Amino acid sequence: MILTPYHLAKNEATALKPYAVLSMYCRGRKIPEPEDKNRLPFQVDRDRIIHSKAFRRLKDKTQVFVAHHGDHYRTRLTHTLEVAQVSRDLARMLGLNEDLAETIALAHDLGHTPFGHAGEEALNNCLLQFGMTFEHNEQSKRIVTELEHAYPAWNGLNLNAEVLEGLMKHETHWDKPQNESAVRPSLEAQIVNIADEIAYQNHDTDDGLRSGLFTEEDLQSLHLWQAATRAVQSLYGTIEDPRIRIARTVSKMIGFMIVDTAEETSRRLALYRIATTEDVYICPDKLVAFSEEISEANHQLKDFLMSRLYLSPEVQENLNRGRTTIKTIFEKLIAEGKTPPEARDYLAGMTDPFALDRMESH
C-alpha cells in the first residue's frame, strides 16, 4: 500500500513527541495552495529548496577556503549537507520532525555571499553608505520569498511559516539574526542552530589539518581532540595512516557533540516540563544545547580555529582578495545605474568563480 500524506501525518502524530512540530498542524503558506497528493508540507518545502538555483550555486561558494582552493575542502554546499545530516540525526534521536529540521538546514545558508563571511562583511560595508545593511539570514528569506522564480502565480518558493521562522531565527557564532523577537523558534529550528555549529567546528578542523595550517600535535591540548583520540585508540588500536586516523578522530568528535546535545536537550526538556510546542515557544532558555562540559570544550576548539585557521595569513590573503572583489564589483554596478538593492541581490547571488570572472572582465 502506498502511504498517502494522510497516513504519513497520522504516523507522525503517533511517533513524534508532543512538543514536535506536526505536519498536520503546520501554520501554512502565505499564498494558499492545494495540498500535495503525495508529500507532506515540509517534504514539499525541502524539495523546492533542493531544486532552487540558489541551492545549486552553493557548490561554488566559499566555506573557509575559497571554492577553487582544492577538490577536498568543504564548500558552502557540502557544509549545508553536513548540517542537514546532523540535524536529521538529532531530530530522530529526540523524536522531532526530521523533515522540518532537514528543510531549515538545507535553506539556512542560501543567502550567503561569495567568499564566505568576508564577502558578507564587505557587502555590508558597501551598503552602509546607503543606509542599508546586509545579513545573510535576511537574504536567505529574500531568496525563498522573492528572488527565486519558478512558479507562474508568485515569486519565491512559498514555503511554510515554520521554515521561514527557522531561517529568521538561525543563530550561531557567525549568525546574528536581526529583528529577533523574544519568542523562541521550534525545537527543530534550534536543532539546526547547533547542528550548524557541530558541522563547521569539525569540518573546519578537518580542512585545517588537510591544509597544513596546523597539525594533530597542535590539537593535543584541546579536550575534545584528546577525548576523541583516546576513543579511536581504544576502538581501532594504533592507526598508522594519518588520513584515516584524522577521519576517525573528527568523526568521533562529531559523535560526542551529537550525543551530548541529545542528552542535554532531554535534561532541559524535563527541567522546564516541556509538553507542547507552545511550551517550547515561551521557554525563557534555549532547549537544544551542549552540556556545560562540552560547551567549554567547544569554546576551546573555537578559539583555536579562530587563531590558527580563520585569522591565518593564508586564509586571510584569499579572503582579502574576495573583499576587494565584492567592493569593486559593487562600485561598478552602482556606476552602471544599478540601485543598491539590485546590486546587493546580484552580488549575494554570485559564486566565487563568477565574481572573480566579473572582476576580471572589467
Side-chain angles (χ1 to χ4, degrees), residues 49-202:
I49 290 163
I50 288 175
H51 290 281
S52 69
K53 294 190 295 293
F55 185 78
R56 292 195 293 274
R57 288 196 296 266
L58 295 178
K59 74 181 180 68
D60 284 323
K61 291 195 177 189
T62 289
Q63 180 61 27
V64 173
F65 296 93
V66 292
H68 61 273
H69 192 85
D71 292 339
H72 295 160
Y73 294 100
R74 271 70 172 191
T75 65
R76 191 62 62 178
L77 177 60
T78 57
H79 162 72
T80 294
L81 295 176
E82 291 183 35
V83 175
Q85 173 255 312
V86 174
S87 297
R88 287 199 72 103
D89 283 355
L90 277 168
R92 183 172 297 182
M93 293 171 75
L94 292 166
L96 302 174
N97 193 316
E98 293 179 50
D99 288 338
L100 175 57
E102 180 185 31
T103 300
I104 296 170
L106 290 172
H108 85 280
D109 269 354
L110 290 179
H112 251 296
T113 62
F115 312 113
H117 294 284
E120 179 174 7
E121 174 193 338
L123 183 52
N124 183 66
N125 289 338
C126 290
L127 290 166
L128 286 175
Q129 61 185 305
F130 297 98
M132 300 170 59
T133 59
F134 182 86
E135 200 279 327
H136 73 263
N137 291 320
E138 293 276 355
Q139 191 68 13
S140 294
K141 182 184 177 184
R142 280 181 52 72
I143 286 170
V144 300
T145 58
E146 298 179 45
L147 300 181
E148 282 287 328
H149 299 292
Y151 297 91
W154 61 75
N155 293 333
L157 302 179
N158 199 30
L159 304 180
N160 281 285
E162 290 82 358
V163 177
L164 297 178
E165 177 186 74
L167 292 180
M168 294 310 299
K169 290 181 176 289
H170 185 62
E171 183 175 7
T172 69
H173 172 75
W174 299 105
D175 302 88
K176 303 299 179 186
Q178 300 170 359
N179 305 319
E180 184 183 11
S181 69
V183 178
R184 294 217 170 266
S186 65
L187 288 171
E188 289 82 358
Q190 292 185 46
I191 276 178
V192 176
N193 288 346
I194 207 161
D196 190 10
E197 191 163 346
I198 291 171
Y200 79 70
Q201 293 283 83
N202 286 283

Side-chain angles (χ1 to χ4, degrees), residues 315-328:
V315 169
Q316 286 300 312
E317 180 182 357
N318 283 317
L319 293 183
N320 284 335
R321 184 186 181 196
R323 290 184 181 96
T324 300
T325 299
I326 292 288
K327 182 175 184 294
T328 302

